[in-house]
Amino acid sequence: MSANIPPLNSPTPEGAFLRLLNVLDTLRTQCPWDKKQTMETLRHLTIEETYELSDAILEGDMQEIKKELGDVMMHLVFYARIGSEQNEFNITDVLNGVCDKLINRHPHIYGDVEADTEEQVKQNWEKLKLKEGNKSVLAGVPTSLPALVKASRIQEKARGVGFDWEEKQQVWEKVEEELQEFKNEFNIVDGKEIDTEKAEGEFGDLLFSLVNYARFIDINPENALEKTNKKFIKRFQYLEERAKESGKALQDMTLAEMDVYWNEAKKL
């Protein structure tokens, strides 16, 4: 059975969003794959799409960002469609809900609360969420977040209620303190046996303090590490290509030979 193709390229946001809703409704009722999907089966696909959007943002590829935003938007509408089938909620409930939340959490815009700085806005935000029923300031941090992202969010949440260092110098001193404690547990000079559990704990403390310092100097640690990952990948792949051109296998090359190509990659 052929479905009528919705009108193309609506000139308004409202029309384009309605077109997406219509397309999803049609696919849900007529496409064998779409008919079988549940929130659980879509979950891992949504995570994948979110990471693809993240990659596009880090690459600064605006066309790819536009495409990935569309994919994420489609998933959100799909979840709302499934919610409506289960008589739990629909897309109207979702949109009205987020609008209500934004209005309630911005009393400095829609009410008479004073908040002239970003920091004041964040503090008000955390206080409002506690009033809404959160038992802890940290309750809003998802347990399944990657550890590096989670560390950033935990620290931001704590800062929102005033639990923070006053000066970045204090934070750097904490980094140096944690580095020394890690070195004490992982001293490769004296050759003593390492207590791996203790060393792991000190390494975690060191990473947490570095994330804290990054926050103080407005560096996103997740973005910073991912950019370094991408840089390493590009350089290593250059190394592989140059080795192949030379008729050599990496595992048969000395570190000194590999360093020649690695240093070439760094100059590109």
Side-chain angles (χ1 to χ4, degrees):
M1 179 174 66
S2 297
N4 293 326
I5 299 177
L8 301 179
N9 298 329
S10 171
T12 66
E14 296 85 355
F17 191 69
L18 181 59
R19 183 184 179 213
L20 175 60
L21 293 177
N22 289 335
V23 169
L24 255 296
D25 285 346
T26 300
L27 296 180
R28 184 64 172 169
T29 57
Q30 297 187 26
C31 172
W33 185 88
D34 289 280
K35 288 164 70 174
K36 289 183 63 176
Q37 300 314 303
T38 66
M39 290 190 182
E40 289 75 18
T41 62
L42 286 174
R43 176 181 175 273
H44 76 281
L45 297 175
T46 306
I47 293 172
E48 181 180 327
E49 295 294 353
T50 303
Y51 276 107
E52 289 178 358
L53 172 61
S54 175
D55 286 343
I57 291 171
L58 287 179
E59 292 292 337
D61 187 334
M62 298 305 293
Q63 289 305 308
E64 194 66 16
I65 291 172
K66 180 181 73 172
K67 181 176 81 69
E68 298 301 341
L69 281 172
D71 291 342
V72 172
M73 186 77 71
M74 180 272 291
H75 276 247
L76 302 182
V77 169
F78 208 149
Y79 287 117
R81 165 70 197 218
I82 295 173
S84 69
E85 293 169 358
Q86 298 173 352
N87 294 318
E88 295 291 344
F89 58 84
N90 57 34
I91 191 64
T92 303
D93 299 326
V94 171
L95 296 176
N96 281 329
V98 73
C99 287
D100 289 342
K101 181 169 70 173
L102 288 171
I103 291 169
N104 291 335
R105 291 189 180 176
H106 289 79
H108 54 290
I109 302 297
Y110 299 102
D112 54 6
V113 173
E114 293 290 332
D116 298 323
T117 68
E118 177 187 4
E119 196 59 39
Q120 289 175 320
V121 171
K122 289 181 179 179
Q123 291 174 359
N124 286 339
W125 186 278
E126 297 303 336
K127 291 175 183 176
L128 285 166
K129 284 194 283 187
L130 287 175
K131 288 182 179 179
E132 290 169 6
N134 284 359
K135 295 181 179 179
S136 168
V137 170
L138 304 182
V141 180
T143 56
S144 57
L145 274 181
L148 194 64
V149 179
K150 186 187 291 186
S152 294
R153 295 297 293 136
I154 288 171
Q155 292 168 9
E156 289 170 2
K157 295 280 187 181
R159 183 181 186 179
V161 292
F163 187 77
D164 203 5
W165 300 92
E166 294 179 352
E167 303 291 340
K168 65 180 179 181
Q169 180 59 34
Q170 297 172 305
V171 188
W172 183 249
E173 289 171 359
K174 184 64 175 174
V175 172
E176 293 181 321
E177 175 188 325
E178 297 295 351
L179 176 59
Q180 186 58 52
E181 291 181 4
F182 174 62
K183 289 171 68 177
N184 292 341
E185 293 296 337
F186 198 78
N187 192 331
I188 62 174
V189 176
D190 59 19
K192 71 177 182 180
E193 186 175 350
I194 296 166
D195 186 327
T196 305
E197 186 174 345
K198 284 186 177 180
E200 182 182 62
E202 296 298 346
F203 185 69
D205 292 345
L206 175 59
L207 280 179
F208 194 85
S209 63
L210 281 170
V211 169
N212 214 2
Y213 188 72
R215 179 173 58 84
F216 259 77
I217 58 176
D218 294 324
I219 290 176
N220 183 303
E222 174 70 18
N223 290 351
L225 183 58
E226 182 57 15
K227 288 177 181 177
T228 295
N229 289 340
K230 290 180 179 292
K231 180 170 60 179
F232 183 91
I233 289 170
K234 288 179 180 178
R235 290 177 179 176
F236 192 81
Q237 289 175 341
Y238 176 86
L239 168 60
E240 290 176 315
E241 291 171 4
R242 293 288 285 117
K244 185 177 181 181
E245 291 171 2
S246 302
K248 299 178 181 179
L250 287 183
Q251 57 267 32
D252 298 328
M253 297 173 63
T254 66
L255 186 58
E257 290 175 318
M258 287 189 281
D259 275 344
V260 172
Y261 296 143
W262 184 262
N263 289 328
E264 286 180 9
K266 289 171 66 176
K267 294 177 181 178
L268 293 177

